Amino acid sequence: MDRILPYPAAGEALLSPGSYGSAAREESAGTTEVVVGGGGLLGRHILGVLGRRRVRRVSVQWGDHTQACRLLYALGRDLAGQPARWNLYWCAGLAVFHTPARQVERERVLVSRLLAGVNDGLERSGHPSNGALFFASSAGGAFAGSERAPFTEFSPPVPRNPYGEAKLAVEEEARALSRRWRLPAVSARITNLYGPGQNLAKNQGLVSAIIKAQLSGEPLPLRAALETTRDYIYARDCARMAVAAMEAVRSRTRGTDPYVCKIFASGRPFRIDELLEVAERLFDRPVPVAHEPVAAGPNADLSVTSQVWTDLASSPFLNIEEGMRAVRSDLRYRLGLN
């Protein structure tokens, strides 16, 4: 995957060198980085950013819910009980915005069992944890019914379906655990994630779907109004921001609230018709679109502005043109068009 990522090997850190000091980087060298869901879009890119650090990748056994619950509970308990420094990234999930409630709830239970394991491990150990938590949440799920965009971390979240409700429930459980044990935790309300390696079978990823339609000639089924506005963040940028947040969370929350909720966004919202125009201009080929009845869904405008740890994105993000080129290169390879 790295062959198509337009980043130099030494260009991973998002924070400027003076933003959190060299001590955090030195400590990270001895940290065990645990990535749950490393096969997904965000997880794969986080693994890429972590590079040669001490990394443990954990897969979720989606086909055996009982076994998955047991293993995730044991993972949380064992991590919490060890004195060594660790970071846990939760990036797993099959559910998307319109996933049925039953499946969404099963995934929420998995995260709950992981957090229960962390809690029980801390109770058994009798000493403070040297760990930190990262949870991939959803800006779209949180603000689907909210009013007055652009939304910030201080806008009241108003979910409109089980997916958003489950994401907020996980945030609340993580917040309670974090504050009970003074355990640093970051809930990342991520906007529309896109990039190389996106799962085309999931009902998400408009940028990838646009490029795929353009390459294959198969019409893109469009069930949203063309003025629908979203923020699109390139997966590698989001991953770099996640790692930077975990490098900084201990020092930044020392003596304050250990729980941080932050929007992870590019800060550059696009309408659907604008994305179509960019793709057609960039590759000089029309995007075939099959307009279908507009489905009831979230707000037409879900643009956001982060007001928490704004320096976390001090390095430039990939622009939409460069991101589309990377997605197109990836899809040409995966579709056998090279």
Side-chain angles (χ1 to χ4, degrees), residues 12-28 53 85 240 243-249 251-252 311-312 314:
E12 297 295 4
L14 269 177
L15 289 172
S16 60
S19 297
Y20 56 99
S22 60
R25 288 187 182 278
E26 292 173 1
E27 289 177 354
S28 68
R53 300 189 195 185
R85 181 182 166 109
R240 293 161 70 215
V243 172
M246 293 298 277
E247 289 178 343
V249 66
S251 61
R252 292 194 175 195
D311 64 327
L312 208 63
S314 59

Side-chain angles (χ1 to χ4, degrees), residues 214-245:
Q214 196 176 42
L215 286 171
S216 67
E218 298 177 2
L220 167 69
L222 197 57
R223 302 180 181 90
L226 290 175
E227 65 270 17
T228 300
T229 304
R230 300 289 184 268
D231 180 285
Y232 297 87
I233 183 169
Y234 190 67
R236 192 70 161 198
D237 286 327
C238 189
R240 293 161 70 215
M241 190 187 298
V243 172

Side-chain angles (χ1 to χ4, degrees), residues 185-209:
V186 176
S187 285
R189 289 184 180 171
I190 301 170
T191 58
N192 291 53
L193 196 68
Y194 79 99
Q198 190 145 35
N199 184 352
L200 301 177
K202 295 175 72 172
N203 184 24
Q204 64 174 166
L206 180 59
V207 172
S208 295

Side-chain angles (χ1 to χ4, degrees), residues 11 22 53 59 64 72 110 113 141 148 155 164 180-181 233 238 240 283 288:
S22 60
R53 300 189 195 185
S59 298
D64 190 335
L72 288 171
L110 292 177
R113 293 308 299 157
R148 292 184 291 277
S155 299
R180 178 184 182 188
W181 296 105
I233 183 169
C238 189
R240 293 161 70 215
F283 305 118

Side-chain angles (χ1 to χ4, degrees), residues 31 79-80 82-87 122 127-132 183-184 250:
T31 302
L79 280 176
Q82 69 179 40
R85 181 182 166 109
W86 53 271
N87 289 333
L122 289 170
H127 58 74
S129 172
N130 201 13
L183 181 66
R250 290 172 177 82

Side-chain angles (χ1 to χ4, degrees), residues 255-269:
T256 64
D257 188 349
Y259 176 81
V260 178
C261 179
K262 173 172 172 55
I263 290 173
F264 281 46
S266 71
R268 298 188 300 267

